Amino acid sequence: QLIAADYTTISDGNWTSSSTWQGGSVPPTGDIPSSANIYIRHTVDYNSGDDIKNEGTIRIEPTTGTTAKLIIPDGINVEIYSGGELFVINGYFLQYRFIGGGDSGTQQDGNFKNIGGYVYVQNSVVEASQDFTSESGGERYFENSCILTGQNYSVSGSSSDDTYIGTNVLIGWHGSGNFQLSDGTMDFTDMQVQLAGTSGNFQLSSGHAFGDITFITMKNHVTSGMGNGSIQISSSISNSPSLILDAYW
């Protein structure tokens, strides 16, 4: 039986630096076991070349006077597996779309996959370099938050489940990207979607989608450019009790 190991930040710094962590105890890079509980209360740069494969708990949440932020470098993938959890509360998970951050520049690589795990985001910003996907029964909950991707955003797998409350999803910043439900469930409350690329579609192809989408726009709010995508909702979508789109442009 694995013994739980807790890791808590005490200052801004690199993931691999002992001075970043309470007691000098540095959490693992790469494969994070189910026994690991990682509490990020400061700004942490993940300065490792290993993809993050999380089966434990990562919690990004500030304490008094701090900014809780996890910054993922170019070329690193992040995967949350069954039993693994990621909480971002009043914080930032930043797998930048463009190197160094911002809405333009040199494109950064790296995907963020929820593979049967649990992602909880509240009052926060989550950024994925390329694709942000959920599959294999993964669950994501977003409340009063902003989600940005360089390319695609998707849900697949019959038991996968996304919930959105007062949340903005802005995708396709590398030039194209689809918002897609190919199976599973999406529950919308005051959801807003921006297809920021020159191409890319909002596609509900199969599964269960219901609630209220405030608007879907093809207009990039930074460049004012209009994309040539479309809104596609298949007749096979289950939308009980109702699926409402208030506006689109």
Side-chain angles (χ1 to χ4, degrees):
Q1 183 177 357
L2 293 174
I3 298 175
D6 291 350
Y7 307 90
T8 303
T9 63
I10 56 172
S11 70
D12 297 346
N14 290 330
W15 183 289
T16 61
S17 175
S18 60
S19 63
T20 303
W21 303 95
Q22 189 173 66
S25 180
V26 176
T29 61
D31 296 337
I32 297 174
S34 60
S35 57
N37 300 302
I38 301 171
Y39 301 96
I40 296 175
R41 297 175 176 173
H42 300 78
T43 296
V44 175
D45 286 284
Y46 183 77
N47 62 323
S48 169
D50 299 324
D51 291 341
I52 296 175
K53 300 181 178 181
N54 180 41
E55 294 182 337
T57 297
I58 301 173
R59 190 176 188 98
I60 303 169
E61 185 177 12
T63 188
T64 303
T66 70
T67 299
K69 186 184 298 185
L70 177 59
I71 302 172
I72 309 296
D74 184 30
I76 298 299
N77 298 306
V78 178
E79 298 174 345
I80 312 296
Y81 287 95
S82 178
E85 299 175 318
L86 171 66
F87 295 89
V88 190
I89 301 171
N90 301 315
Y92 302 83
F93 176 95
L94 300 175
Q95 188 190 40
Y96 288 134
R97 295 159 292 154
F98 301 96
I99 292 175
D103 295 320
S104 64
T106 302
Q107 295 177 7
Q108 182 163 310
D109 294 333
N111 295 307
F112 183 6
K113 295 184 177 182
N114 183 31
I115 309 172
Y118 181 69
V119 176
Y120 180 97
V121 180
Q122 185 181 54
N123 303 323
S124 297
V125 175
V126 170
E127 189 170 357
S129 299
Q130 293 176 292
D131 296 344
F132 186 11
T133 64
S134 190
E135 58 192 78
S136 303
E139 184 176 353
R140 296 183 294 195
Y141 176 92
F142 305 108
E143 183 177 352
N144 299 328
S145 295
C146 182
I147 314 302
L148 305 106
T149 75
Q151 297 179 12
N152 303 294
Y153 179 97
S154 68
V155 173
S156 62
S158 60
S159 57
S160 299
D161 191 341
D162 271 18
T163 299
Y164 314 87
I165 301 172
T167 289
N168 300 330
V169 178
L170 305 90
I171 70 169
W173 287 86
H174 289 177
S176 65
N178 295 319
F179 182 103
Q180 185 167 40
L181 172 64
S182 56
D183 205 354
T185 299
M186 288 182 168
D187 179 357
F188 307 110
T189 303
D190 297 330
M191 163 83 156
Q192 301 175 1
V193 179
Q194 180 181 133
L195 304 179
T198 55
S199 63
N201 302 311
F202 180 94
Q203 301 171 316
L204 304 182
S205 302
S206 181
H208 188 199
F210 61 95
D212 179 67
I213 302 172
T214 306
F215 67 78
I216 300 171
T217 180
M218 313 293 175
K219 184 177 182 178
N220 184 305
H221 76 281
V222 174
T223 66
S224 296
M226 290 292 295
N228 61 6
S230 62
I231 299 170
Q232 305 169 5
I233 301 178
S234 170
S235 60
S236 65
I237 283 286
S238 170
N239 61 0
S240 175
S242 65
L243 176 61
I244 299 170
L245 173 59
D246 296 330
Y248 64 91
W249 63 91

